[in-house]
Amino acid sequence: QKEVEQDPGPLSVPEGAIVSLNCTYSNSAFQYFMWYRQYSRKGPELLMYTYSSGNKEDGRFTAQVDKSSKYISLFIRDSQPSDSATYLCATMDTGRRALTFGSGTRLQVQP
Amino acid sequence: EAGVAQSPRYKIIEKRQSVAFWCNPISGHATLYWYQQILGQGPKLLIQFQNNGVVDDSQLPKDRFSAERLKGVDSTLKIQPAKLEDSAVYLCASSLVRTVSYEQYFGPGTRLTVT
């Protein structure tokens, strides 16, 4: 079993739709939860991070972590064609301080 | 602020040949990472440096991969000899300090094709 599981997609939505991206993880030691966005032929860039459980909102983006079910979510409101990218969830335990990534979900927002 | 620089951007080699990748992190970033990203997968950490010391190389195939970070700034990753399964994008990332290492800044990567 992979430590972080993510549906690879692709996910295609019309412009303006609400997008839900999800990951599950297996290691209870993970304390930090991140979402990175990766455009084609580019390196990943940090979108949001959450420490432990709870919600975090930043503009059109909301990250949720449910540690009881080991579930990580990213919601994108009013999706735009510029949001088309691969979204990678990532986790980190405070001991090792190394990121463990999911396989990424490819999102396509149709204009 | 300049980002993480990597070179070359693309490299094609035959199996059993050797190859080297170079990374220049963001100025002042003490922690440097090398990741391998195989097509359709997320990045996998190969090695982590804190200044010029290795912090974590548990997933580095040491029989063929080596990395160094001289003077705590630039870093090189070498593969010798390369195998077909080494075809991937090699990403370099840096973070300011290890305690906030969830915030990593990635370079554009080097796309390696082994034929």
mmCIF file of all heavy atoms in Angstrom, chain A residues 32 34 36 38 41-44 46 49 88 92 95-99 101-104, chain B residues 9-10 35 37 40-43 45 48 56 59 98-99 101-104 106-107 111:
data_model
loop_
_atom_site.group_PDB
_atom_site.id
_atom_site.type_symbol
_atom_site.label_atom_id
_atom_site.label_comp_id
_atom_site.label_asym_id
_atom_site.label_seq_id
_atom_site.Cartn_x
_atom_site.Cartn_y
_atom_site.Cartn_z
ATOM 1 N N TYR A 32 1.866 17.371 8.744
ATOM 2 C CA TYR A 32 1.711 18.477 7.810
ATOM 3 C C TYR A 32 1.111 17.935 6.517
ATOM 4 O O TYR A 32 1.489 16.848 6.050
ATOM 5 C CB TYR A 32 3.068 19.123 7.491
ATOM 6 C CG TYR A 32 3.651 19.905 8.640
ATOM 7 C CD1 TYR A 32 4.483 19.287 9.568
ATOM 8 C CD2 TYR A 32 3.383 21.261 8.793
ATOM 9 C CE1 TYR A 32 5.023 20.002 10.624
ATOM 10 C CE2 TYR A 32 3.919 21.984 9.844
ATOM 11 C CZ TYR A 32 4.739 21.346 10.751
ATOM 12 O OH TYR A 32 5.278 22.054 11.794
ATOM 13 N N MET A 34 0.007 19.142 2.554
ATOM 14 C CA MET A 34 0.203 20.186 1.569
ATOM 15 C C MET A 34 -0.476 19.859 0.259
ATOM 16 O O MET A 34 -0.712 18.684 -0.058
ATOM 17 C CB MET A 34 1.712 20.329 1.265
ATOM 18 C CG MET A 34 2.539 21.037 2.318
ATOM 19 S SD MET A 34 2.692 20.135 3.861
ATOM 20 C CE MET A 34 3.645 18.714 3.333
ATOM 21 N N TYR A 36 0.372 20.856 -3.693
ATOM 22 C CA TYR A 36 1.242 21.489 -4.668
ATOM 23 C C TYR A 36 0.542 21.448 -6.032
ATOM 24 O O TYR A 36 -0.166 20.498 -6.347
ATOM 25 C CB TYR A 36 2.581 20.747 -4.773
ATOM 26 C CG TYR A 36 3.592 21.124 -3.711
ATOM 27 C CD1 TYR A 36 3.497 20.630 -2.420
ATOM 28 C CD2 TYR A 36 4.648 21.981 -4.020
ATOM 29 C CE1 TYR A 36 4.435 20.971 -1.455
ATOM 30 C CE2 TYR A 36 5.597 22.323 -3.059
ATOM 31 C CZ TYR A 36 5.470 21.817 -1.784
ATOM 32 O OH TYR A 36 6.400 22.159 -0.826
ATOM 33 N N GLN A 38 1.272 21.637 -10.192
ATOM 34 C CA GLN A 38 2.349 21.450 -11.163
ATOM 35 C C GLN A 38 1.815 21.650 -12.568
ATOM 36 O O GLN A 38 1.015 20.850 -13.058
ATOM 37 C CB GLN A 38 2.988 20.056 -11.017
ATOM 38 C CG GLN A 38 4.204 19.851 -11.896
ATOM 39 C CD GLN A 38 4.922 18.546 -11.609
ATOM 40 O OE1 GLN A 38 4.333 17.582 -11.133
ATOM 41 N NE2 GLN A 38 6.219 18.496 -11.894
ATOM 42 N N ARG A 41 5.582 20.639 -17.676
ATOM 43 C CA ARG A 41 6.997 20.966 -17.895
ATOM 44 C C ARG A 41 7.554 21.939 -16.854
ATOM 45 O O ARG A 41 8.562 22.603 -17.080
ATOM 46 C CB ARG A 41 7.223 21.566 -19.285
ATOM 47 C CG ARG A 41 6.643 20.737 -20.413
ATOM 48 C CD ARG A 41 7.611 19.706 -20.890
ATOM 49 N NE ARG A 41 7.037 18.841 -21.914
ATOM 50 C CZ ARG A 41 7.678 17.846 -22.486
ATOM 51 N NH1 ARG A 41 8.914 17.584 -22.155
ATOM 52 N NH2 ARG A 41 7.095 17.109 -23.398
ATOM 53 N N LYS A 42 6.884 22.028 -15.711
ATOM 54 C CA LYS A 42 7.353 22.903 -14.628
ATOM 55 C C LYS A 42 7.508 22.088 -13.354
ATOM 56 O O LYS A 42 6.996 20.968 -13.237
ATOM 57 C CB LYS A 42 6.341 24.030 -14.366
ATOM 58 C CG LYS A 42 6.038 24.888 -15.561
ATOM 59 C CD LYS A 42 7.138 25.885 -15.817
ATOM 60 C CE LYS A 42 6.712 26.871 -16.896
ATOM 61 N NZ LYS A 42 7.803 27.813 -17.226
ATOM 62 N N GLY A 43 8.224 22.661 -12.387
ATOM 63 C CA GLY A 43 8.296 22.037 -11.077
ATOM 64 C C GLY A 43 7.054 22.336 -10.258
ATOM 65 O O GLY A 43 6.335 23.303 -10.535
ATOM 66 N N PRO A 44 6.758 21.530 -9.250
ATOM 67 C CA PRO A 44 5.594 21.808 -8.383
ATOM 68 C C PRO A 44 5.782 23.114 -7.617
ATOM 69 O O PRO A 44 6.910 23.505 -7.305
ATOM 70 C CB PRO A 44 5.593 20.612 -7.418
ATOM 71 C CG PRO A 44 6.417 19.553 -8.080
ATOM 72 C CD PRO A 44 7.438 20.279 -8.881
ATOM 73 N N LEU A 46 4.045 25.238 -4.167
ATOM 74 C CA LEU A 46 3.181 25.093 -3.008
ATOM 75 C C LEU A 46 1.946 25.969 -3.146
ATOM 76 O O LEU A 46 2.043 27.172 -3.381
ATOM 77 C CB LEU A 46 3.939 25.463 -1.730
ATOM 78 C CG LEU A 46 3.145 25.351 -0.428
ATOM 79 C CD1 LEU A 46 2.761 23.901 -0.153
ATOM 80 C CD2 LEU A 46 3.947 25.925 0.738
ATOM 81 N N TYR A 49 -0.869 24.751 2.750
ATOM 82 C CA TYR A 49 -0.484 23.722 3.704
ATOM 83 C C TYR A 49 -1.374 23.838 4.934
ATOM 84 O O TYR A 49 -1.890 24.914 5.257
ATOM 85 C CB TYR A 49 0.983 23.827 4.088
ATOM 86 C CG TYR A 49 1.275 24.853 5.164
ATOM 87 C CD1 TYR A 49 1.293 24.499 6.512
ATOM 88 C CD2 TYR A 49 1.527 26.171 4.823
ATOM 89 C CE1 TYR A 49 1.544 25.451 7.485
ATOM 90 C CE2 TYR A 49 1.773 27.121 5.787
ATOM 91 C CZ TYR A 49 1.791 26.754 7.120
ATOM 92 O OH TYR A 49 2.039 27.689 8.083
ATOM 93 N N LEU A 88 -0.917 17.873 -6.702
ATOM 94 C CA LEU A 88 -0.240 16.846 -5.911
ATOM 95 C C LEU A 88 -0.511 17.089 -4.436
ATOM 96 O O LEU A 88 -0.226 18.175 -3.927
ATOM 97 C CB LEU A 88 1.272 16.910 -6.145
ATOM 98 C CG LEU A 88 1.777 16.638 -7.559
ATOM 99 C CD1 LEU A 88 3.106 17.332 -7.790
ATOM 100 C CD2 LEU A 88 1.934 15.136 -7.775
ATOM 101 N N MET A 92 3.949 15.232 5.458
ATOM 102 C CA MET A 92 5.264 15.229 6.073
ATOM 103 C C MET A 92 5.129 14.921 7.559
ATOM 104 O O MET A 92 4.207 15.426 8.211
ATOM 105 C CB MET A 92 5.943 16.588 5.906
ATOM 106 C CG MET A 92 7.389 16.626 6.375
ATOM 107 S SD MET A 92 8.150 18.234 6.130
ATOM 108 C CE MET A 92 7.372 19.166 7.428
ATOM 109 N N GLY A 95 9.276 14.258 12.291
ATOM 110 C CA GLY A 95 10.572 13.655 12.572
ATOM 111 C C GLY A 95 11.488 13.661 11.367
ATOM 112 O O GLY A 95 12.586 14.213 11.393
ATOM 113 N N ARG A 96 11.030 13.070 10.286
ATOM 114 C CA ARG A 96 11.883 12.882 9.118
ATOM 115 C C ARG A 96 11.993 14.152 8.278
ATOM 116 O O ARG A 96 12.983 14.389 7.617
ATOM 117 C CB ARG A 96 11.322 11.737 8.271
ATOM 118 C CG ARG A 96 12.183 11.357 7.094
ATOM 119 C CD ARG A 96 11.804 9.998 6.527
ATOM 120 N NE ARG A 96 12.447 9.801 5.239
ATOM 121 C CZ ARG A 96 11.801 9.806 4.078
ATOM 122 N NH1 ARG A 96 10.512 10.003 4.060
ATOM 123 N NH2 ARG A 96 12.449 9.618 2.952
ATOM 124 N N ARG A 97 10.924 14.969 8.307
ATOM 125 C CA ARG A 97 10.905 16.229 7.567
ATOM 126 C C ARG A 97 11.184 16.025 6.089
ATOM 127 O O ARG A 97 11.944 16.765 5.469
ATOM 128 C CB ARG A 97 11.892 17.245 8.166
ATOM 129 C CG ARG A 97 11.509 17.613 9.573
ATOM 130 C CD ARG A 97 12.033 18.947 10.005
ATOM 131 N NE ARG A 97 11.529 19.307 11.318
ATOM 132 C CZ ARG A 97 10.374 19.881 11.534
ATOM 133 N NH1 ARG A 97 9.601 20.224 10.527
ATOM 134 N NH2 ARG A 97 9.970 20.163 12.750
ATOM 135 N N ALA A 98 10.570 15.002 5.537
ATOM 136 C CA ALA A 98 10.654 14.756 4.097
ATOM 137 C C ALA A 98 9.237 14.649 3.558
ATOM 138 O O ALA A 98 8.357 14.081 4.205
ATOM 139 C CB ALA A 98 11.417 13.469 3.824
ATOM 140 N N LEU A 99 9.009 15.227 2.386
ATOM 141 C CA LEU A 99 7.683 15.189 1.783
ATOM 142 C C LEU A 99 7.420 13.826 1.137
ATOM 143 O O LEU A 99 8.302 13.271 0.477
ATOM 144 C CB LEU A 99 7.545 16.275 0.715
ATOM 145 C CG LEU A 99 7.577 17.727 1.191
ATOM 146 C CD1 LEU A 99 7.438 18.670 -0.011
ATOM 147 C CD2 LEU A 99 6.480 17.999 2.191
ATOM 148 N N PHE A 101 4.702 12.428 -1.539
ATOM 149 C CA PHE A 101 3.710 12.917 -2.480
ATOM 150 C C PHE A 101 2.764 11.818 -2.922
ATOM 151 O O PHE A 101 3.138 10.636 -3.001
ATOM 152 C CB PHE A 101 4.401 13.460 -3.744
ATOM 153 C CG PHE A 101 5.024 14.809 -3.581
ATOM 154 C CD1 PHE A 101 6.344 14.930 -3.183
ATOM 155 C CD2 PHE A 101 4.311 15.959 -3.851
ATOM 156 C CE1 PHE A 101 6.945 16.176 -3.040
ATOM 157 C CE2 PHE A 101 4.889 17.218 -3.720
ATOM 158 C CZ PHE A 101 6.215 17.318 -3.313
ATOM 159 N N GLY A 102 1.525 12.225 -3.243
ATOM 160 C CA GLY A 102 0.623 11.369 -3.991
ATOM 161 C C GLY A 102 1.031 11.412 -5.453
ATOM 162 O O GLY A 102 1.952 12.138 -5.847
ATOM 163 N N SER A 103 0.324 10.631 -6.265
ATOM 164 C CA SER A 103 0.700 10.518 -7.672
ATOM 165 C C SER A 103 0.191 11.689 -8.505
ATOM 166 O O SER A 103 0.583 11.845 -9.661
ATOM 167 C CB SER A 103 0.183 9.203 -8.253
ATOM 168 O OG SER A 103 -1.207 9.117 -8.081
ATOM 169 N N GLY A 104 -0.693 12.512 -7.941
ATOM 170 C CA GLY A 104 -1.185 13.684 -8.656
ATOM 171 C C GLY A 104 -2.488 13.425 -9.383
ATOM 172 O O GLY A 104 -2.717 12.319 -9.896
ATOM 173 N N ARG B 9 18.204 21.046 -19.113
ATOM 174 C CA ARG B 9 16.763 20.839 -19.027
ATOM 175 C C ARG B 9 16.362 19.483 -19.594
ATOM 176 O O ARG B 9 15.410 18.868 -19.134
ATOM 177 C CB ARG B 9 16.018 21.944 -19.786
ATOM 178 C CG ARG B 9 16.094 23.308 -19.144
ATOM 179 C CD ARG B 9 15.383 23.342 -17.768
ATOM 180 N NE ARG B 9 14.057 22.756 -17.801
ATOM 181 C CZ ARG B 9 12.963 23.397 -18.161
ATOM 182 N NH1 ARG B 9 13.032 24.672 -18.537
ATOM 183 N NH2 ARG B 9 11.786 22.779 -18.148
ATOM 184 N N TYR B 10 17.110 19.027 -20.579
ATOM 185 C CA TYR B 10 16.817 17.745 -21.215
ATOM 186 C C TYR B 10 18.132 17.007 -21.454
ATOM 187 O O TYR B 10 19.160 17.627 -21.727
ATOM 188 C CB TYR B 10 16.104 17.943 -22.558
ATOM 189 C CG TYR B 10 14.832 18.760 -22.458
ATOM 190 C CD1 TYR B 10 14.858 20.137 -22.632
ATOM 191 C CD2 TYR B 10 13.616 18.145 -22.163
ATOM 192 C CE1 TYR B 10 13.701 20.886 -22.516
ATOM 193 C CE2 TYR B 10 12.455 18.889 -22.053
ATOM 194 C CZ TYR B 10 12.505 20.250 -22.222
ATOM 195 O OH TYR B 10 11.357 20.997 -22.107
ATOM 196 N N TYR B 35 14.673 15.104 -6.099
ATOM 197 C CA TYR B 35 13.552 14.199 -6.267
ATOM 198 C C TYR B 35 13.619 13.555 -7.657
ATOM 199 O O TYR B 35 14.112 14.143 -8.618
ATOM 200 C CB TYR B 35 12.220 14.963 -6.185
ATOM 201 C CG TYR B 35 11.837 15.464 -4.821
ATOM 202 C CD1 TYR B 35 12.273 16.703 -4.359
ATOM 203 C CD2 TYR B 35 11.003 14.724 -3.995
ATOM 204 C CE1 TYR B 35 11.899 17.172 -3.113
ATOM 205 C CE2 TYR B 35 10.610 15.190 -2.748
ATOM 206 C CZ TYR B 35 11.077 16.407 -2.323
ATOM 207 O OH TYR B 35 10.689 16.878 -1.083
ATOM 208 N N GLN B 37 10.912 12.119 -10.435
ATOM 209 C CA GLN B 37 9.493 12.036 -10.784
ATOM 210 C C GLN B 37 9.336 11.241 -12.080
ATOM 211 O O GLN B 37 9.631 11.738 -13.166
ATOM 212 C CB GLN B 37 8.864 13.424 -10.928
ATOM 213 C CG GLN B 37 7.357 13.369 -11.122
ATOM 214 C CD GLN B 37 6.695 14.738 -11.110
ATOM 215 O OE1 GLN B 37 7.325 15.756 -11.371
ATOM 216 N NE2 GLN B 37 5.401 14.774 -10.804
ATOM 217 N N GLY B 40 3.659 10.157 -14.613
ATOM 218 C CA GLY B 40 2.415 9.692 -14.014
ATOM 219 C C GLY B 40 2.489 9.468 -12.516
ATOM 220 O O GLY B 40 1.518 9.006 -11.909
ATOM 221 N N GLN B 41 3.630 9.789 -11.923
ATOM 222 C CA GLN B 41 3.793 9.614 -10.479
ATOM 223 C C GLN B 41 4.176 10.939 -9.820
ATOM 224 O O GLN B 41 4.579 11.886 -10.489
ATOM 225 C CB GLN B 41 4.877 8.563 -10.187
ATOM 226 C CG GLN B 41 4.548 7.176 -10.728
ATOM 227 C CD GLN B 41 5.617 6.164 -10.374
ATOM 228 O OE1 GLN B 41 6.414 6.367 -9.450
ATOM 229 N NE2 GLN B 41 5.638 5.060 -11.098
ATOM 230 N N GLY B 42 4.052 10.965 -8.494
ATOM 231 C CA GLY B 42 4.498 12.126 -7.751
ATOM 232 C C GLY B 42 6.003 12.071 -7.534
ATOM 233 O O GLY B 42 6.628 11.020 -7.692
ATOM 234 N N PRO B 43 6.609 13.198 -7.184
ATOM 235 C CA PRO B 43 8.045 13.198 -6.909
ATOM 236 C C PRO B 43 8.395 12.278 -5.741
ATOM 237 O O PRO B 43 7.657 12.215 -4.754
ATOM 238 C CB PRO B 43 8.335 14.662 -6.558
ATOM 239 C CG PRO B 43 7.208 15.446 -7.150
ATOM 240 C CD PRO B 43 6.019 14.544 -7.072
ATOM 241 N N LEU B 45 11.501 11.506 -3.052
ATOM 242 C CA LEU B 45 12.748 12.059 -2.524
ATOM 243 C C LEU B 45 13.897 11.077 -2.699
ATOM 244 O O LEU B 45 13.789 9.906 -2.341
ATOM 245 C CB LEU B 45 12.595 12.397 -1.041
ATOM 246 C CG LEU B 45 13.837 12.983 -0.371
ATOM 247 C CD1 LEU B 45 14.126 14.393 -0.893
ATOM 248 C CD2 LEU B 45 13.674 13.003 1.150
ATOM 249 N N GLN B 48 18.415 14.442 0.717
ATOM 250 C CA GLN B 48 18.183 15.737 1.347
ATOM 251 C C GLN B 48 19.480 16.191 2.005
ATOM 252 O O GLN B 48 20.103 15.439 2.755
ATOM 253 C CB GLN B 48 17.059 15.607 2.387
ATOM 254 C CG GLN B 48 16.743 16.861 3.158
ATOM 255 C CD GLN B 48 15.662 16.665 4.224
ATOM 256 O OE1 GLN B 48 15.473 17.524 5.072
ATOM 257 N NE2 GLN B 48 14.959 15.557 4.194
ATOM 258 N N ASP B 56 19.223 12.856 4.736
ATOM 259 C CA ASP B 56 18.423 11.683 4.420
ATOM 260 C C ASP B 56 18.752 11.221 3.013
ATOM 261 O O ASP B 56 18.540 11.952 2.059
ATOM 262 C CB ASP B 56 16.930 12.039 4.529
ATOM 263 C CG ASP B 56 16.003 10.842 4.320
ATOM 264 O OD1 ASP B 56 16.464 9.773 3.865
ATOM 265 O OD2 ASP B 56 14.788 10.972 4.600
ATOM 266 N N GLN B 59 16.454 6.666 0.295
ATOM 267 C CA GLN B 59 15.844 6.180 -0.941
ATOM 268 C C GLN B 59 16.751 6.396 -2.159
ATOM 269 O O GLN B 59 16.288 6.251 -3.291
ATOM 270 C CB GLN B 59 14.482 6.863 -1.160
ATOM 271 C CG GLN B 59 13.496 6.536 -0.047
ATOM 272 C CD GLN B 59 12.089 6.988 -0.385
ATOM 273 O OE1 GLN B 59 11.326 6.275 -1.016
ATOM 274 N NE2 GLN B 59 11.744 8.198 0.031
ATOM 275 N N ARG B 98 15.109 23.743 7.661
ATOM 276 C CA ARG B 98 14.516 22.406 7.673
ATOM 277 C C ARG B 98 13.208 22.385 8.456
ATOM 278 O O ARG B 98 12.331 21.584 8.186
ATOM 279 C CB ARG B 98 15.516 21.429 8.281
ATOM 280 C CG ARG B 98 15.182 20.000 8.041
ATOM 281 C CD ARG B 98 16.378 19.115 8.187
ATOM 282 N NE ARG B 98 15.972 17.715 8.090
ATOM 283 C CZ ARG B 98 15.869 16.900 9.116
ATOM 284 N NH1 ARG B 98 16.171 17.325 10.334
ATOM 285 N NH2 ARG B 98 15.499 15.648 8.952
ATOM 286 N N THR B 99 13.065 23.316 9.397
ATOM 287 C CA THR B 99 11.870 23.296 10.238
ATOM 288 C C THR B 99 10.618 23.716 9.491
ATOM 289 O O THR B 99 9.515 23.454 9.941
ATOM 290 C CB THR B 99 12.054 24.210 11.464
ATOM 291 O OG1 THR B 99 12.540 25.479 11.020
ATOM 292 C CG2 THR B 99 13.034 23.603 12.450
ATOM 293 N N SER B 101 10.243 22.816 6.180
ATOM 294 C CA SER B 101 10.579 22.145 4.925
ATOM 295 C C SER B 101 9.361 21.707 4.137
ATOM 296 O O SER B 101 9.504 21.159 3.063
ATOM 297 C CB SER B 101 11.495 20.959 5.183
ATOM 298 O OG SER B 101 10.919 20.090 6.138
ATOM 299 N N TYR B 102 8.120 21.960 4.672
ATOM 300 C CA TYR B 102 6.954 21.703 3.833
ATOM 301 C C TYR B 102 6.882 22.735 2.714
ATOM 302 O O TYR B 102 6.249 22.526 1.699
ATOM 303 C CB TYR B 102 5.674 21.748 4.675
ATOM 304 C CG TYR B 102 5.497 23.031 5.464
ATOM 305 C CD1 TYR B 102 4.998 24.177 4.855
ATOM 306 C CD2 TYR B 102 5.840 23.102 6.804
ATOM 307 C CE1 TYR B 102 4.853 25.354 5.557
ATOM 308 C CE2 TYR B 102 5.692 24.261 7.518
ATOM 309 C CZ TYR B 102 5.198 25.385 6.896
ATOM 310 O OH TYR B 102 5.061 26.541 7.591
ATOM 311 N N GLU B 103 7.524 23.897 2.902
ATOM 312 C CA GLU B 103 7.504 24.942 1.892
ATOM 313 C C GLU B 103 8.777 24.828 1.070
ATOM 314 O O GLU B 103 9.796 25.462 1.364
ATOM 315 C CB GLU B 103 7.405 26.327 2.538
ATOM 316 C CG GLU B 103 7.174 27.434 1.533
ATOM 317 C CD GLU B 103 6.802 28.761 2.181
ATOM 318 O OE1 GLU B 103 6.878 28.843 3.431
ATOM 319 O OE2 GLU B 103 6.462 29.691 1.445
ATOM 320 N N GLN B 104 8.701 24.018 0.065
ATOM 321 C CA GLN B 104 9.852 23.785 -0.784
ATOM 322 C C GLN B 104 9.644 24.467 -2.128
ATOM 323 O O GLN B 104 8.539 24.481 -2.662
ATOM 324 C CB GLN B 104 10.078 22.285 -0.987
ATOM 325 C CG GLN B 104 10.402 21.572 0.312
ATOM 326 C CD GLN B 104 10.693 20.104 0.127
ATOM 327 O OE1 GLN B 104 10.953 19.637 -0.977
ATOM 328 N NE2 GLN B 104 10.655 19.356 1.214
ATOM 329 N N PHE B 106 10.689 24.457 -6.011
ATOM 330 C CA PHE B 106 11.203 23.513 -6.990
ATOM 331 C C PHE B 106 11.751 24.217 -8.217
ATOM 332 O O PHE B 106 11.220 25.245 -8.663
ATOM 333 C CB PHE B 106 10.091 22.553 -7.441
ATOM 334 C CG PHE B 106 9.765 21.491 -6.436
ATOM 335 C CD1 PHE B 106 8.937 21.766 -5.356
ATOM 336 C CD2 PHE B 106 10.282 20.206 -6.553
ATOM 337 C CE1 PHE B 106 8.629 20.788 -4.420
ATOM 338 C CE2 PHE B 106 9.975 19.231 -5.628
ATOM 339 C CZ PHE B 106 9.153 19.523 -4.559
ATOM 340 N N GLY B 107 12.796 23.625 -8.786
ATOM 341 C CA GLY B 107 13.273 24.047 -10.083
ATOM 342 C C GLY B 107 12.433 23.409 -11.188
ATOM 343 O O GLY B 107 11.536 22.605 -10.898
ATOM 344 N N ARG B 111 14.761 16.586 -17.588
ATOM 345 C CA ARG B 111 14.074 15.411 -18.143
ATOM 346 C C ARG B 111 15.107 14.480 -18.749
ATOM 347 O O ARG B 111 15.759 14.820 -19.736
ATOM 348 C CB ARG B 111 13.049 15.834 -19.184
ATOM 349 C CG ARG B 111 12.190 14.701 -19.720
ATOM 350 C CD ARG B 111 11.123 15.247 -20.659
ATOM 351 N NE ARG B 111 10.203 16.127 -19.951
ATOM 352 C CZ ARG B 111 9.099 15.730 -19.338
ATOM 353 N NH1 ARG B 111 8.765 14.453 -19.350
ATOM 354 N NH2 ARG B 111 8.323 16.604 -18.734
#
